[in-house]
Amino acid sequence: MTSTIDPKSIGRPVHPRRRHVRTLTGYLPEKDASGKEKWPKGDEKVWKAGMRGLDTDVESITKSFVNHVQTSLARQAYNLDDLGAYQAAALSARDNLLVNWNKTQIEYMRKAPKRAYYLSLEFLMGRTLDNALLNLGLKDQFSEGIQRLGFSMEDILDQERDAGLGNGGLGRLAACYLDSSASQELPLWGYGLRYKYGIFQQLISPEGNQLEAPDPWLNHQNPWELPRIDVTYEVRFYGQSQRFHDGTPRASWTGGQEVLAIAYDVMIPGYSTTTTNNLRLWESKPKRGFDLNSFNAGNYEGAVESSNSAEAITSVLYPNDHTFWTAASLADILRRFKNLGKAISEFPEYVAIQLNDTHPTLAIPELMRILIDEEDLSWDKAWNIVTNTFFYTNHTVLPEALEKWPVDLIEHVLPRHMQIIYDINLFFLQAVEKKYPMDRDRLARMSLIEEGHPKQVRMAYLACIGSRKVNGVAELHSELVQTTILKDFVEFEGISKFGNVTNGITPRRWLDQCNHELSALISKTLKLDKDVWLKDLTKLEGLLPFAEDKAFRKEWAAIKQRNKERLAHHVQVTLGLTVNTNAMFDVQIKRLHEYKRQTLNILGVIHRYLTLKNMTPAQRKKVNNRVVFFAGKAAPAYYIAKLTIRLIVNVARIINADPDTKDYLTLYFLPDYSVSLAEVLIPASDISQHISTAGTEASGTSNMKFCLNGGLLLGTVDGANIEIAEEVGESNVFFFGHLTPAVEDLRHEHLYHPMPIEQKCPALAHVLNQVSAGLFGDGEVYEPLLNTIRQGDYYLITDDFDSYIAALTMVDEAYSDKEEWIKKSIRTTAKMGKFSSDRAINEYAEGYWNIEKTPVTKN
C-alpha cells in the first residue's frame, strides 16, 4: 500500500477555512488555578539566569562586539576590516533592540490595546546604525568602545548601505512615521516588501545620460533584519473563482499558483523610550520550488519557472502585483487579532489599517474575501467591518498619477478579487442612485470601473469608499482632493469623512543625526536636554530672542560654514571636483518630474550664466557667488526627465570651465541620490528650491528638512510651502509664480490662445534658443524637452519664468546682508515645531485610528 491523492483536490485550498497557527513569538504564559503565571518549560531559575539585559556600559558593549566578531562573523582582530567592524557593531546594537523589542511585544499582548498597521509599498529607512544608537541613547558609549578596539565610528558608519526599500518622499514619510510612532509609544507596525534590488543605482554616462544599474543592497548580510521562518503565509494567484449558489456571497477560489510569503522583521526603536515597534517585510518564495515532471521531461527552464516567478515578486521596486504583500499582511494581522479570543465583529475595535496611497488598496477586497469566504459573514457585516478598519491617505491630485488597473489583468491574476470589486461597485452605485435618482453622469463619474478599452479599476475610488476616513497631506492639497478628484464622494458621503494631516519629519534624523553641531548648540542655548526638545519640537521657539544675539549668530554661521565644507569634501572625494565654500549654496533635491520643475531651475541657471557673460569683470565682482546643486533620480522610462538630467550635466560642464564666470557660478549634479546623501546636502544649504507648479505638489517634506536646518525656502505657493510660510513668516521665505486658482485658466490660454515665447517671455526665449543653438552640446538632443515648453507648456514654465528670476534676484539681495540672512535662518529653524512627524502621527492616532499610547516599562 501507499498514500494516494484525489487528482480533483490538487490546487484546491487544503482547509475551507483559515487556520490561525500559533507561532513561537509574542505569546503570554499560561496561568494556574490561583492566577499565577506558569513557566512554560525547564527550570525557570536557569532560564532567567541566562537571560540578558541591555549592554549600556563601554565594557559590556566591547565584550558584545568581540563576541559577534568571533561567533557571528567567524573572524578575529587580525583580519577584521571596517565592514566587519560595522557588522559587529550593528549586531551588538541589534541585541539591545531585540531586548526592548521583546519587552514591547509582551506589553502589547498583556494590555491588548487597539493597534494600527501602516501599509506602504516603500519604507526609505536610510542608514540604521547611527539612528539606532541615537534612539537607544548609546552613541557615546559605542563610539568610545569602538575606538578602544581600534576603529573609528565615522569610518564604520560609512560602511552601511542605504536599505533599498523605497524610491522617494512616500517611502521617507513612512520611515519618519515609524520612528515617531515608537518615540510616541504608540502600538503601530509597518508592513512592506523586502525588495532584493529596490531602486536602481544611478550612473551618468559620458554624454550626461542617466544610466540605471542594479542595486543589490542585500549582497552583504543585513544585520538589521530578523528572518521569521515560523511566520509564513500562502498567497494565491490566477486560478478560477466559482460563486456558491446558496444565497450567500461566498465563492470558492481554486487552482492557479500559490506563493509563500516569508516574514523578515526590522526593529524600530523609539527615541528615549523602551518602546521598540516592528516593520515586517515580506519575501516571496515558491511553495513548490521545482517541477519534477518538467525536469524529467528534459525541460529545466520549465522546472524552475514557478520558483523564479514567485521570487520575482519581491525582486524589484515596484512589483507588478501588490496583492502578495497586502494578503500576507492581512493574514498576519488577522492571526494576531484571533489570538485575543475576540469575535470577528470586534475587529475594528482592535485594528486600524492605514493605506499609504493607493498601492495597498487591494487589501480592501482581500479582507472582504476573507470575511465572506472564510469567516462566513454576510456581505453587510463584512463591509461594515472593512469600512471601519481602513483609512486612506491620498498623496496626489495629478490625474496621471492616480492608479488604475485593467479589469482584464485583475480578472486573470485575481479572479475572486475582481468579483468582489464588481459587487462593491454595484452596491455602491445603487446607494448613489438612490440619493441622486437618474443622474447617469454622476454614476459614470463615481463608478469604480472606468469604461473604455481596456476597462480599468479606479483604485483611488476603491480606497475612498472602502475607508472610514480619507486625508490629504497639506492644507491646500486636502482642499484640492475634496474639490477636484473626490468632489463627488465628498458630496455623497459628507465632509466629515475627509480631513487633513500635514506631513512631518523626524527631528531625530533630520536635525540631531545629520547636523549634530547645530543640535548641540540648540541644547546649550535653550538650556534643555535634547531628550526634551527633540520630542517637543515647539521648544525651538525659545531660539527666537537669540536671533538678535551677535555671539549666537556667529556660532550659528560657523556651523553652517562647516556643514558646507563637509559637503564640499564629499564632492571632492566622490567626484574629484572642488567646490567654492564661500559662495551661497543653492540646492534642489527631488525625484525628477516635470511638475517639480527642475527644468525651470536649470533654465534659470542658464539665464544667470548668460547674464554673467554679458557683464564686465567689474560688474561680476559685485554679484552674489552661487553654487547650485541638483540631485535626484528619473524613472527609467521617463524620457523628458532623463533629458533634464542630461541638460543639467552638460550645462555644468560648460559653466564650470568658463574662466569668465566660474568664480561666480558653478553647478553640480550629484548622482545616486539617497537618504545618506540628503543628510550631507541639507545641513549645507543656504537656500533650497521647492518650485512645483501651483496645485501639483501634495506636500513635500524636503522643504521641512531644509528649513529645520536653517536653510531658507524659495518656492511657489504650493503644498506645505504655504504652511511653512505661515509659521516662519513670509518675510523669511521667497515666493513667486501664479497661484493654484489661475492654473487651469492659463492652461486654457496655452491651448486656445497660444502666444509666441519671444513675445510672452523674451528672457526665456533667449535661453531656449541658446540651448537649441548648441551652447551646451548637440541642441537637437534637447528639442523634445524644449518643445514641452514651446508647445502647450502644461507646467507653466513660460508663465512663471520672469517671476522666478525676480525671486532669485531677491534672494541675492537678501544674502548680501549676511547678518540679516543669519537672523532669517535662526527664525526659520525656531518656527519649525509644527512640522515634526511626532505631531502628525499623534493626529492620526487621535483623529483617525483611535489608538492610545502604550508605554513599556523599563524593567
Side-chain angles (χ1 to χ4, degrees):
M1 287 295 292
T2 184
S3 61
T4 61
I5 186 170
D6 180 357
K8 293 180 181 178
S9 69
I10 298 174
R12 292 185 178 275
V14 177
H15 303 290
R17 299 288 179 272
R18 180 180 301 275
R19 301 247 176 135
H20 293 266
V21 180
R22 174 172 293 198
T23 65
L24 300 177
T25 58
Y27 292 97
L28 298 175
E30 296 178 0
K31 296 180 180 180
D32 60 22
S34 67
K36 182 181 178 183
E37 291 182 353
K38 294 163 60 177
W39 191 254
K41 60 186 65 178
D43 189 321
E44 181 177 356
K45 290 182 180 178
V46 175
W47 270 96
K48 290 191 172 178
M51 293 174 71
R52 58 161 292 162
L54 298 177
D55 293 327
T56 57
D57 60 87
V58 174
E59 184 178 349
S60 63
I61 288 168
T62 54
K63 185 176 180 179
S64 174
F65 180 100
V66 173
N67 176 63
H68 279 296
V69 170
Q70 288 182 293
T71 62
S72 300
L73 306 179
R75 299 174 78 170
Q76 50 190 323
Y78 302 103
N79 65 352
L80 189 68
D81 56 8
D82 282 345
L83 177 59
Y86 156 71
Q87 290 174 317
L91 290 168
S92 299
R94 193 188 77 166
D95 286 346
N96 278 353
L97 295 184
L98 281 170
V99 171
N100 285 343
W101 188 94
N102 276 316
K103 288 180 182 177
T104 304
Q105 306 322 310
I106 290 172
E107 196 81 7
Y108 290 168
M109 291 299 294
R110 288 184 191 279
K111 295 180 178 177
K114 183 177 184 180
R115 297 195 193 196
Y117 298 97
Y118 199 84
L119 269 58
S120 179
L121 197 58
E122 302 180 32
F123 288 94
L124 201 58
M125 306 302 291
R127 291 175 176 172
T128 299
L129 177 56
D130 197 30
N131 187 251
L133 295 179
L134 168 66
N135 284 8
L136 285 167
L138 295 174
K139 286 184 77 166
D140 292 341
Q141 295 92 318
F142 263 78
S143 294
E144 183 180 340
I146 295 296
Q147 186 176 18
R148 287 190 190 180
L149 291 164
F151 293 93
S152 158
M153 179 60 83
E154 186 176 344
D155 290 339
I156 71 169
L157 288 174
D158 281 340
Q159 296 298 312
E160 184 173 359
R161 290 279 298 274
D162 279 44
L165 297 172
N167 180 13
L170 190 77
R172 187 53 237 170
L173 178 73
C176 283
Y177 283 168
L178 291 187
D179 176 272
S180 283
S181 68
S183 297
Q184 294 298 305
E185 300 178 318
L186 294 169
L188 179 143
W189 275 29
Y191 278 103
L193 281 168
R194 183 180 182 262
Y195 301 107
K196 295 176 184 175
Y197 294 98
I199 193 65
F200 57 85
Q201 180 186 5
Q202 182 190 53
L203 306 171
I204 303 298
S205 75
E207 298 78 25
N209 292 320
Q210 171 183 287
L211 303 176
E212 298 91 24
D215 178 24
W217 71 282
L218 286 171
N219 270 5
H220 297 299
Q221 176 194 14
N222 177 18
W224 303 108
E225 66 181 15
L226 190 69
R228 290 290 191 188
I229 59 173
D230 61 314
V231 183
T232 63
Y233 299 97
E234 296 172 5
V235 180
R236 185 179 300 276
F237 297 94
Y238 313 111
Q240 307 82 36
S241 179
Q242 299 293 327
R243 293 183 186 267
F244 292 156
H245 298 288
D246 59 356
T248 73
R250 290 176 57 218
S252 174
W253 181 18
T254 59
Q257 179 186 10
E258 288 180 305
V259 175
L260 279 184
I262 301 173
Y264 286 75
D265 286 348
V266 179
M267 287 64 70
I268 306 294
Y271 176 69
S272 191
T273 177
T274 303
T275 298
T276 302
N277 285 334
N278 197 49
L279 168 60
R280 179 155 285 178
L281 303 172
W282 300 106
E283 181 176 72
S284 56
K285 291 287 185 183
K287 183 180 178 183
R288 183 182 71 249
F290 200 78
D291 184 343
L292 192 59
N293 288 333
S294 296
F295 181 75
N296 288 339
N299 181 6
Y300 177 77
E301 289 184 359
V304 298
E305 183 179 2
S306 66
S307 172
N308 292 340
S309 64
E311 293 185 353
I313 292 174
T314 50
S315 288
V316 181
L317 177 80
Y318 290 102
N320 287 330
D321 202 314
H322 303 344
T323 281
F324 168 80
W325 145 65
T326 54
S329 301
L330 278 173
D332 200 47
I333 293 166
L334 270 159
R335 173 186 60 79
R336 193 170 299 109
F337 167 76
K338 287 212 164 186
N339 287 329
L340 299 175
K342 303 292 183 181
I344 194 69
S345 59
E346 295 184 66
F347 190 71
E349 302 304 314
Y350 289 88
V351 173
I353 301 175
Q354 184 70 41
L355 307 176
N356 190 29
D357 215 354
T358 52
H359 311 123
T361 302
L362 283 171
I364 291 171
E366 170 65 7
L367 183 54
M368 284 295 289
R369 184 191 69 80
I370 293 168
L371 295 175
I372 290 170
D373 295 351
E374 300 183 8
E375 300 295 336
D376 258 351
L377 294 189
S378 68
W379 180 274
D380 289 344
K381 287 181 179 178
W383 188 242
N384 183 62
I385 289 172
V386 166
T387 53
N388 281 289
T389 296
F390 288 105
F391 300 82
Y392 163 49
T393 298
N394 172 281
H395 285 276
T396 184
V397 292
L398 297 178
E400 67 272 20
L402 293 173
E403 272 196 310
K404 296 175 185 177
W405 283 36
V407 167
D408 289 347
L409 174 66
I410 302 178
E411 283 181 328
H412 176 58
V413 179
L414 304 165
R416 179 59 179 137
H417 294 71
M418 195 61 240
Q419 288 178 340
I420 291 170
I421 291 170
Y422 273 133
D423 289 346
I424 291 171
N425 194 42
L426 173 63
F427 296 136
F428 174 68
L429 291 183
Q430 286 175 344
V432 173
E433 208 280 337
K434 186 175 181 180
K435 186 171 183 178
Y436 303 101
M438 303 302 292
D439 191 342
R440 293 186 177 88
D441 288 342
R442 182 181 293 271
L443 292 175
R445 291 197 308 268
M446 297 181 73
S447 174
L448 301 184
I449 311 299
E450 182 179 80
E451 300 297 332
H453 300 284
K455 289 184 179 180
Q456 298 194 94
V457 178
R458 296 158 162 162
M459 303 307 280
Y461 291 5
L462 178 56
C464 176
I465 69 172
S467 295
R468 182 170 180 172
K469 294 193 76 172
V470 177
N471 71 281
V473 291
E475 288 175 4
L476 173 62
H477 170 244
S478 296
E479 180 184 332
L480 290 172
V481 167
Q482 294 166 25
T483 56
T484 58
I485 60 171
L486 296 182
K487 180 175 182 288
D488 288 326
F489 296 85
V490 173
E491 292 175 1
F492 176 68
E493 302 201 54
I495 191 65
S496 62
K497 177 172 177 171
F498 300 84
N500 172 66
V501 180
T502 299
N503 284 344
I505 58 172
T506 169
R508 273 77 64 179
R509 182 179 290 271
W510 294 113
L511 181 50
D512 188 75
Q513 186 176 322
C514 73
N515 200 347
H516 192 65
E517 275 196 88
L518 186 62
S519 176
L521 176 62
I522 290 169
S523 295
K524 182 182 78 171
T525 305
L526 295 178
K527 294 183 172 58
L528 287 175
D529 190 276
K530 69 180 181 183
D531 288 6
V532 176
W533 65 266
L534 281 176
K535 294 184 82 167
D536 181 4
L537 206 58
T538 60
K539 301 285 188 192
L540 289 178
E541 287 200 30
L543 294 173
L544 285 172
F546 292 92
E548 303 302 324
D549 184 322
K550 189 171 183 179
F552 179 75
R553 291 201 303 272
K554 185 177 180 181
E555 284 190 86
W556 188 276
I559 291 169
K560 177 65 73 176
Q561 184 62 31
R562 286 192 288 274
N563 285 329
K564 292 166 79 168
E565 289 163 3
R566 179 177 63 154
L567 173 56
H569 176 72
H570 173 84
V571 173
Q572 175 67 50
V573 169
T574 57
L575 302 180
L577 302 172
T578 302
V579 176
N580 175 14
T581 57
N582 293 318
M584 166 188 274
F585 278 19
D586 177 342
V587 184
Q588 187 181 20
I589 47 174
K590 299 174 183 291
R591 65 183 172 90
L592 270 287
H593 197 291
E594 288 167 275
Y595 86 83
K596 293 180 182 289
R597 299 206 294 190
Q598 286 93 346
T599 306
L600 177 60
N601 190 345
I602 188 58
L603 295 175
V605 171
I606 296 170
H607 177 272
R608 190 180 189 87
Y609 170 66
L610 297 175
T611 302
L612 284 167
K613 287 291 285 181
N614 285 330
M615 288 181 176
T616 65
Q619 289 174 321
R620 289 184 198 129
K621 288 182 179 179
K622 298 177 183 178
V623 168
N624 172 37
N625 299 343
R626 189 183 292 247
V627 179
V628 179
F629 294 95
F630 284 89
K633 297 179 180 181
Y638 198 165
Y639 181 59
I640 295 299
K642 294 174 81 169
L643 269 185
T644 304
I645 291 176
R646 178 167 177 160
L647 181 59
I648 293 167
V649 171
N650 285 299
V651 169
R653 285 181 176 145
I654 297 299
I655 69 176
N656 291 0
D658 191 321
D660 294 337
T661 62
K662 65 181 182 180
D663 291 336
Y664 310 103
L665 176 64
T666 48
L667 170 64
Y668 301 93
F669 183 87
L670 306 188
D672 208 30
Y673 179 56
S674 64
V675 173
S676 298
L677 179 55
E679 289 173 6
V680 179
L681 276 160
I682 287 169
S685 81
D686 292 304
I687 191 82
S688 63
Q689 300 206 25
H690 311 273
I691 56 178
S692 53
T693 308
T696 61
E697 183 70 83
S699 170
T701 52
S702 65
N703 44 11
M704 303 170 190
K705 295 162 192 168
F706 281 107
C707 291
L708 183 59
N709 284 272
L712 302 194
L713 184 151
L714 167 66
T716 48
V717 184
D718 197 26
N721 290 354
I722 300 168
E723 291 164 71
I724 290 173
E726 288 172 353
E727 294 296 310
V728 307
E730 289 199 17
S731 62
N732 296 311
V733 300
F734 301 90
F735 274 148
F736 75 94
H738 287 84
L739 304 181
T740 300
V743 169
E744 288 306 318
D745 289 341
L746 290 168
R747 287 173 176 161
H748 180 89
E749 288 295 310
H750 292 178
L751 189 61
Y752 296 104
H753 306 285
M755 181 185 299
I757 296 181
E758 287 76 11
Q759 181 181 344
K760 183 177 182 179
C761 186
L764 176 59
H766 180 56
V767 169
L768 299 181
N769 292 338
Q770 290 297 308
V771 176
S772 293
L775 182 58
F776 307 104
D778 184 1
E780 286 289 322
V781 170
Y782 301 111
E783 285 305 303
L785 171 62
L786 304 183
N787 285 339
T788 64
I789 302 169
R790 291 173 174 145
Q791 301 167 12
D793 189 22
Y794 188 78
Y795 294 103
L796 311 189
I797 303 288
T798 56
D799 300 280
D800 285 350
F801 188 78
D802 288 339
S803 174
Y804 175 61
I805 297 302
L808 289 170
T809 302
M810 290 171 58
V811 170
D812 288 332
E813 292 169 354
Y815 194 71
S816 64
D817 185 345
K818 293 294 193 297
E819 288 299 312
E820 187 57 35
W821 184 274
I822 296 166
K823 290 180 183 180
K824 289 177 180 290
S825 173
I826 294 167
R827 293 182 193 126
T828 297
T829 297
K831 294 295 290 184
M832 289 302 292
K834 171 181 175 177
F835 302 101
S836 169
S837 50
D838 293 351
R839 181 269 313 156
I841 206 70
N842 279 318
E843 287 185 15
Y844 279 113
E846 296 167 12
Y848 290 73
W849 309 329
N850 193 28
I851 63 172
E852 297 180 352
K853 294 190 179 192
T854 307
V856 179
T857 54
K858 291 194 174 182
N859 297 312

